[in-house]
Amino acid sequence: MQSAFLMDYIFWVFISTLAVVQFAAARSGIWGMLYAREWPKVTQCFALMITIVAFVWYFVTEDRNQPDTGLGLDANVQAFWFAASGAVAVSATLIITSVINHRWGGEGHGWDNLSGEAPPTGIAWLSQTTFFHAIRARIAYLLQAMPKQSSR
Amino acid sequence: MNELDQSLVLWANGLVGQSKLLDGFMEVLVSDYFTPVLNSLVLLGLWFSGETDAKRYQNQLTTLIGGIAVGFSNAQVAIINALVFRDRPFVGLDINLHFYPPTDSSFPANAASVAFAMATAVFLRHRRLGGALYTLAAFWGIARVYSGVHYPSDIIGGAVIGAIAALLAASLVRFLAFIPRNVFKVFRAVYIA
């Protein structure tokens, strides 16, 4: 069944993306995106292992050399589902790590909300705080800045 | 040229069935999924990599160039396919097919063009990582010849197309640098870049 074949592909990409994002974040010191913030080296090893296991699982469980006129996926379908599954995996990472690291991300995140200055931008700030804290700070800043701008 | 192509395919394909280990290895390598997914994961990983903002920005540009390069290489292959059709090796030769029989043109190899496009995009910024992706792309090509679905010249043609596509994509991104700069500014404001 093509749907089962497609589901396998989506699951494989989802798990591999979760692992690759953890590996990259741990290597680059983006602590706010890690499930195990305290163990970056372990995270890298584990992420590598998960990626290898996901690849082995995908190719061992079934014959994947199927024509795209039959069970297989053509290049466009493959690209679409890679992007969709990858986006969901990255979103899940940002949400779950925000919950896990909630306390840590709320303390000493290198920005004073009373200073009136804009919060830092970019993933780099996630080395000091979580995605939720960063987004909340940005929204709070924009709401604070809005009446000032409109009264000018 | 054609004779050399044919004799190389027949020689490589003659190895099918001689070693279970080699056949199994080639079965994974020749797949439509192994190399594209691995390359895409490398590009995705680069998006989040980099110790400084400047390095991360360059890595994110690499990801962007890789994506555009794949689009360009597919477009080039589609144009060439509209002009030229070459039968697959298994159509005219005595081949022990180790893959499903594709029905589109053998030349140029779309698989090689995509893999070499991504490898070149990465190589422009990261020599070692790009070199690893080139090796993987080359192995994908060899696996296709081994399995009897491409001639070596199809792979070489695809590789050249892919490399050209990546160089074009890199030039375009450099020429229109203000577009990614401003788009990435928005991404940075919502902490996804």
Side-chain angles (χ1 to χ4, degrees), chain A residues 27-105:
Chain A
R27 257 181 84 96
S28 308
I30 312 173
W31 314 126
M33 276 182 78
L34 295 182
Y35 293 112
R37 202 183 63 250
E38 310 273 333
W39 299 291
K41 291 272 179 215
V42 175
T43 296
Q44 285 179 52
C45 293
F46 199 65
L48 213 59
M49 212 172 70
I50 292 285
T51 310
I52 293 167
V53 168
F55 269 73
V56 170
W57 167 79
Y58 187 74
F59 287 101
V60 163
T61 49
E62 210 177 305
D63 176 16
R64 301 296 175 183
N65 292 338
Q66 303 286 345
D68 53 21
T69 48
L71 279 180
L73 313 172
D74 79 21
N76 293 331
V77 173
Q78 222 190 110
F80 173 80
W81 284 110
F82 183 93
S85 186
V88 172
V90 171
S91 306
T93 299
L94 293 172
I95 292 167
I96 296 167
T97 55
S98 288
V99 174
I100 291 172
N101 299 317
H102 181 71
R103 269 204 194 152
W104 166 84

Side-chain angles (χ1 to χ4, degrees), chain B:
Chain B
M1 179 69 187
N2 213 18
E3 274 177 28
L4 179 67
D5 243 3
Q6 290 182 357
S7 49
L8 282 172
V9 170
L10 288 171
W11 174 78
N13 185 252
L15 300 172
V16 173
Q18 293 195 9
S19 158
K20 266 197 170 177
L21 191 69
L22 185 64
D23 280 355
F25 179 66
M26 289 298 188
E27 202 176 307
V28 172
L29 210 54
V30 76
S31 153
D32 289 332
Y33 310 100
F34 183 79
T35 304
V37 168
L38 194 55
N39 284 0
S40 304
L41 287 171
V42 168
L43 288 176
L44 185 83
L46 279 176
W47 183 272
F48 295 97
S49 299
E51 298 81 24
T52 62
D53 277 350
K55 279 185 184 169
R56 193 170 294 122
Y57 178 67
Q58 289 303 324
N59 286 339
Q60 288 166 354
L61 281 181
T62 299
T63 306
L64 178 69
I65 291 167
I68 295 172
V70 169
F72 280 179
S73 70
N74 280 334
Q76 288 181 73
V77 170
I79 291 167
I80 295 171
N81 281 348
L83 301 171
V84 181
F85 186 90
R86 186 186 201 187
D87 279 330
R88 298 276 178 168
F90 58 81
V91 173
L93 301 174
D94 185 20
I95 292 285
N96 184 3
L97 197 60
H98 194 52
F99 194 61
Y100 66 82
T103 51
D104 55 342
S105 175
S106 190
F107 182 87
N110 201 4
S113 78
V114 167
F116 276 91
M118 290 202 226
T120 305
V122 174
F123 187 77
L124 292 173
R125 183 89 207 146
H126 302 276
R127 293 290 191 258
R128 271 165 64 181
L129 187 58
L133 294 191
Y134 270 137
T135 308
L136 183 65
F139 272 113
W140 196 17
I142 291 166
R144 294 244 156 188
V145 175
Y146 176 91
S147 301
V149 288
H150 277 298
Y151 292 103
S153 59
D154 302 339
I155 304 298
I156 294 167
V160 171
I161 287 169
I164 291 171
L167 294 174
L168 277 176
S171 305
L172 185 75
V173 166
R174 210 172 300 133
F175 182 65
L176 301 173
F178 66 95
I179 298 177
R181 206 181 302 131
N182 286 305
V183 171
F184 285 10
K185 217 179 261 181
V186 175
F187 286 172
R188 273 200 293 276
V190 290
Y191 305 101
I192 54 169

Side-chain angles (χ1 to χ4, degrees), chain A residues 113-134:
Chain A
N113 59 345
L114 299 173
S115 68
E117 286 174 19
T121 59
I123 288 177
W125 197 28
L126 301 188
S127 62
Q128 290 175 283
T129 189
T130 64
F131 179 72
F132 278 177
H133 279 295

